[in-house]
Amino acid sequence: MDATLLLNVEGIKKTILHGGTGDLPNFITGARVTFHFRTMKCDEERTVIDDSKQVGHPMHIIIGNMFKLEVWEILLTSMRVSEVAEFWCDIIHTGVYPILSRSLRQMAEGKDPTEWHVHTCGLANMFAYHTLGYEDLDELQKEPQPLIFIIELLQVEAPSQYQRETWNLNNQEKMQAVPILHGEGNRLFKLGRYEEASNKYQEAIVCLRNLQTKEKPWEVQWLKLEKMINTLILNYCQCLLKKEEYYEVLEHTSDILRHHPGIVKAYYVRARAHAEVWNEAEAKADLEKVLELEPSMRKAVQRELRLLENRLEEKREEERLRCRNMLG
């Protein structure tokens, strides 16, 4: 098919290489679009810049979600499922491609934990780099040029047809997701699946932190969210204790107590972490603070003090044996 102006959008030409099936999909806001792509220069060699098939993973974007390269949404919404099309895009549409390409390459190299998904609109980031870390992308950023995209549309899913990641949810959906994630975390913790539980708690914390940025600090709604966040962080710390990551527990609990010195559970969890790394005085001080703030926790505090004394006695006995062996 001859190249034709696409949807009367300036600076884009489309050539269909392989026709798709069925009607044009319903590209509603929130729909997830899965596709393969190859990006090429417009030189004689049609030099390949990126190819998702070589990486082994297709791309996903969410319609209406401020994807870094907005033109891709325009291109994709002109396609049918299984269609393969070639798009020529002028410089006005390709200026930020080097930034996108850098993100995709880093993800493919395992330098980013989010696989082949780009979650944020990073236009402003392009000014933060003297180099993108890839010679061809530095050249492309220095001298922007038209690019060719060959795209194969694999799948279009309505928002109800896939499990949306939390970064993808609107504010109301984030708030609704928090108690579900919290409950899932608690269930997994009781089953001894601490790594999975900690991931659920972290996901809920991210939702709340995102919502909190939209509130004025220290006002009622901000404080309400802060209280929920602290509860989840302390649950996350319980997972860290089980995974023997004691210094991270000390960091999180100390940060909570710097801002909110009256949270009893934070002192209790921190005391347990101090005890594990032989900080006897700090552990006892935190347990005393627990008793001061919550006398009803006396039994729990006494149990922790006994455990601490037993461990310290074991350590002292080990040191005595070591000294005797050295002298002997």
Side-chain angles (χ1 to χ4, degrees):
M1 183 181 288
D2 292 331
T4 55
L5 192 68
L6 168 65
L7 302 179
N8 296 318
V9 178
E10 183 185 355
I12 300 175
K13 292 178 182 177
K14 174 181 180 180
T15 304
I16 296 176
L17 305 179
H18 176 77
T21 58
D23 296 327
L24 198 68
N26 189 10
F27 294 98
I28 61 172
T29 298
R32 181 168 70 175
V33 183
T34 304
F35 60 100
H36 274 299
F37 74 96
R38 182 188 303 149
T39 306
M40 299 178 293
K41 291 183 178 179
C42 293
D43 53 13
E44 286 185 18
E45 296 80 17
R46 289 166 66 95
T47 304
V48 175
I49 301 170
D50 294 300
D51 189 333
S52 64
K53 287 188 176 179
Q54 286 186 2
V55 173
H57 299 284
M59 270 290 293
H60 305 292
I61 70 168
I62 308 299
I63 297 297
N65 218 46
M66 292 181 69
F67 185 67
K68 279 186 179 181
L69 195 68
E70 292 180 17
V71 70
W72 269 4
E73 189 169 308
I74 297 170
L75 308 184
L76 288 161
T77 52
S78 76
M79 299 179 71
R80 289 173 167 78
V81 173
S82 300
E83 180 180 326
V84 181
E86 178 175 310
F87 299 90
W88 175 90
C89 295
D90 207 350
I91 295 171
I92 57 171
H93 299 295
T94 63
V96 297
Y97 184 80
I99 307 297
L100 169 66
S101 178
R102 176 183 185 271
S103 297
L104 298 180
R105 291 181 188 188
Q106 288 195 322
M107 292 172 189
E109 291 164 10
K111 294 179 183 176
D112 188 297
T114 51
E115 299 178 5
W116 269 67
H117 309 280
V118 181
H119 296 177
T120 55
C121 182
L123 276 171
N125 292 340
M126 70 183 295
F127 303 107
Y129 302 104
H130 298 295
T131 174
L132 294 169
Y134 302 92
E135 193 174 328
D136 62 332
L137 299 183
D138 286 339
E139 179 189 331
L140 199 58
Q141 181 167 271
K142 190 176 178 182
E143 296 180 18
Q145 55 191 270
L147 294 173
I148 294 168
F149 301 110
I150 295 180
I151 296 177
E152 178 185 359
L153 180 58
L154 302 175
Q155 189 177 33
V156 179
E157 300 165 280
S160 60
Q161 292 177 305
Y162 67 94
Q163 186 174 351
R164 297 168 72 189
E165 297 173 67
T166 49
W167 60 267
N168 221 321
L169 306 176
N170 63 37
N171 290 349
Q172 184 181 355
E173 289 168 334
K174 282 188 176 84
M175 202 55 156
Q176 290 169 344
V178 168
I180 296 169
L181 291 166
H182 192 166
E184 269 293 289
N186 291 349
R187 184 183 68 81
L188 290 163
F189 185 89
K190 287 174 184 173
L191 292 172
R193 291 157 63 179
Y194 305 120
E195 183 65 36
E196 294 170 79
S198 66
N199 289 338
K200 294 295 181 184
Y201 293 139
Q202 280 183 301
E203 209 174 335
I205 290 164
V206 168
C207 283
L208 292 171
R209 288 279 189 221
N210 183 274
L211 292 168
Q212 200 180 37
T213 61
K214 299 171 175 66
E215 303 295 337
K216 193 170 181 180
W218 303 103
E219 293 203 346
V220 174
Q221 186 58 25
W222 188 94
L223 286 168
K224 181 181 175 184
L225 293 168
E226 181 79 351
K227 185 177 180 181
M228 295 168 71
I229 289 166
N230 288 336
T231 298
L232 285 159
I233 290 173
L234 290 171
N235 284 10
Y236 175 67
C237 285
Q238 300 274 28
C239 296
L240 295 179
L241 285 174
K242 294 290 188 181
K243 296 193 292 177
E244 301 182 1
E245 295 174 21
Y246 306 122
Y247 289 102
E248 191 176 344
V249 174
L250 293 176
E251 185 181 331
H252 288 304
T253 50
S254 296
D255 186 59
I256 288 174
L257 290 168
R258 268 194 296 276
H259 298 99
H260 307 282
I263 298 180
V264 177
K265 188 176 178 181
Y267 285 109
Y268 184 73
V269 173
R270 189 171 72 174
R272 292 180 62 194
H274 275 309
E276 293 291 346
V277 294
W278 308 106
N279 295 338
E280 180 183 1
E282 291 86 346
K284 287 182 175 178
D286 278 348
L287 289 171
E288 285 172 13
K289 194 69 178 176
V290 171
L291 270 183
E292 178 191 323
L293 294 170
E294 192 60 68
S296 64
M297 289 188 68
R298 180 169 296 279
K299 283 186 178 179
V301 168
Q302 287 174 342
R303 183 181 66 247
E304 292 300 328
L305 285 170
R306 281 195 301 273
L307 286 170
L308 177 59
E309 286 302 327
N310 290 341
R311 293 182 73 250
L312 289 168
E313 183 55 40
E314 286 173 11
K315 188 183 181 187
R316 285 191 286 266
E317 183 60 29
E318 284 174 12
E319 287 172 353
R320 283 194 291 269
L321 285 170
R322 191 160 51 247
C323 288
R324 280 203 293 269
N325 291 335
M326 286 171 66
L327 291 170

